[in-house]
Amino acid sequence: MSHESTSVTQPVFFIPHGAGPCFFMDWQPADTWTELGDFLKSIPSRLPERPKAILIISAHWQTPTFSITASKQPDLIYDYFGFPEHTYELTYPALGAPLLAERVGKLLAEVGLDNEQDAARGFDHGVFIPLKMMFPEADIPIVQLSLRQDLDPKTHLLAGKAIASLRKEGVLIIGSGMSFHNMRGYGDANFTAPSEHFDKWLTKTINADADKRSKALTEWSQAPYALDCHKLGTEEHLLPLMVVVGAAGHDQGSQIYSQQVLKTQVSAFKFG
C-alpha cells in the first residue's frame, strides 16, 4: 500500500472480542452475545471511509519481541478449545499486507523497539472472529502486531505512538481484547460490582486528556478492583488498549459500547 496521506484520519478502536467463536454458535442464554455482535457489525458505519488496510493487536499473540505477520495469505489459528466442531471450519480468507508489515517494523525500530517479521504466523481468533463480524467480506488486507510478552504498559503505549502515522494513510488500527478478563469471574455475581467499578475507572481514564490517560494506564493495576478484573501477569486482554491509546495521540476517547456479559461489565472505546 502507498505511504501517502489521505484526506482523513482513521479512528482507533479497542474492542471486546467475546469468548472463542461465540458469535457463530448457540449459547445459553441465546442472546448472550447479540448486543456485542451488533456493536461489532456497526464498526464500518463509524468510519470516515473504507480502510485501505487493518492493523490489529490481539490479546492472543505474545512474543519476546514485537512480531508482525508478514505472509501474503495467512492461515487461521483455531486457538479455542472445547467448542462445536463447525467452529473449527470457519473461514476468513483476508489477504496479508507484507509491505505494511515491513513499514510497521520500521516505525517500531525508529523508536528503539526491536521487532521481527513472521511469515509463518496466521491470524488467531482475536483477529478473525471479530473481523468476521465487522468486515464479513474479508476483502481488506490485514496485518497483526503481537504483544510483547513482558506486558509492560509504557512499552505498548510507545508502540502505539510509533504506528500512529499509519492512521493518516488509511490504516484502521484495532486493539482486540476484553476490558474484563478473569476466567474465574465470568458468570460469578461476586465479580459484577468489581467489574463495574473498574469499568467506571477505565471509562473516566479514556475520557481524560492524553497525558493523564497514558499515565493512569501505566498504573492500571492500582485502579479500583483492577486485579479482580485482570490478574497480574495475565493482563494480556487489557494490553491492546495500551497500543490503541498510544496510537490515538491527543484524540478524544469515548466509551462506545458497554454491557453486562456473563455477570461482568465489558466495554469498547473509540478515539478520534
Side-chain angles (χ1 to χ4, degrees):
M1 59 172 284
S2 168
H3 296 175
E4 294 178 5
S5 294
T6 63
S7 58
V8 300
T9 299
Q10 289 287 357
V12 285
F13 292 88
F14 174 78
I15 59 163
H17 58 230
C22 59
F23 309 109
F24 303 99
M25 58 178 284
D26 293 332
W27 204 280
Q28 294 299 327
D31 64 351
T32 300
W33 300 105
T34 301
E35 193 173 332
L36 176 55
D38 288 345
F39 162 71
L40 293 173
K41 291 175 182 177
S42 79
I43 293 291
S45 69
R46 300 171 186 266
L47 304 178
E49 65 180 24
R50 175 184 164 86
K52 290 185 171 62
I54 296 169
L55 174 58
I56 187 165
I57 305 93
S58 161
H60 292 281
W61 189 23
Q62 300 170 57
T63 52
T65 188
F66 285 109
S67 295
I68 307 146
T69 56
S71 170
K72 291 181 180 178
Q73 195 154 17
D75 295 325
L76 301 187
I77 302 171
Y78 301 97
D79 54 338
Y80 40 78
F81 306 96
F83 289 93
E85 188 174 344
H86 76 269
T87 65
Y88 299 92
E89 299 170 1
L90 294 171
T91 60
Y92 196 74
L95 296 176
L99 291 178
L100 174 59
E102 187 178 325
R103 179 141 165 73
V104 170
K106 287 179 179 177
L107 290 170
L108 292 172
E110 285 174 6
V111 298
L113 295 175
D114 292 339
N115 65 89
E116 56 187 39
Q117 305 282 308
D118 188 337
R121 172 79 184 187
F123 296 140
D124 60 61
H125 79 272
V127 175
F128 75 84
I129 292 295
L131 289 183
K132 194 171 175 66
M133 298 296 286
M134 294 160 60
F135 301 100
E137 299 84 3
D139 56 357
I140 301 174
I142 301 166
V143 167
Q144 182 178 357
L145 171 64
S146 74
L147 297 174
R148 204 171 75 176
Q149 66 186 24
D150 62 5
L151 302 178
D152 177 60
K154 288 184 179 178
T155 301
H156 289 82
L157 284 161
L158 178 60
K161 188 175 181 181
I163 60 176
S165 62
L166 297 172
R167 297 172 56 198
K168 296 180 179 178
E169 299 170 15
V171 177
L172 176 62
I173 298 174
I174 299 171
S176 174
M178 293 289 281
S179 55
F180 175 98
H181 194 264
N182 181 342
M183 298 304 287
R184 282 180 46 245
Y186 288 124
D188 185 343
N190 292 319
F191 284 82
T192 302
S195 72
E196 289 171 344
H197 285 294
F198 181 69
D199 194 81
K200 286 178 183 176
W201 174 86
L202 198 57
T203 301
K204 182 179 179 182
T205 297
I206 294 307
N207 287 335
D209 68 56
D211 291 338
K212 283 184 180 178
R213 72 187 176 209
S214 292
K215 184 176 188 300
L217 286 172
T218 63
E219 302 165 353
W220 72 269
S221 62
Q222 299 172 35
Y225 299 96
L227 300 183
D228 292 309
C229 300
H230 298 275
K231 294 176 67 176
L232 205 56
T234 60
E235 64 268 29
E236 74 287 334
H237 277 71
L238 186 63
L239 264 289
L241 177 62
M242 311 299 176
V243 183
V244 163
V245 167
H250 291 279
D251 284 353
Q252 177 68 38
S254 61
Q255 183 191 74
I256 55 170
Y257 157 86
S258 194
Q259 182 194 4
Q260 192 180 119
V261 183
L262 303 179
K263 299 183 181 177
T264 63
Q265 199 68 28
V266 175
S267 293
F269 304 98
K270 175 178 180 278
F271 304 82

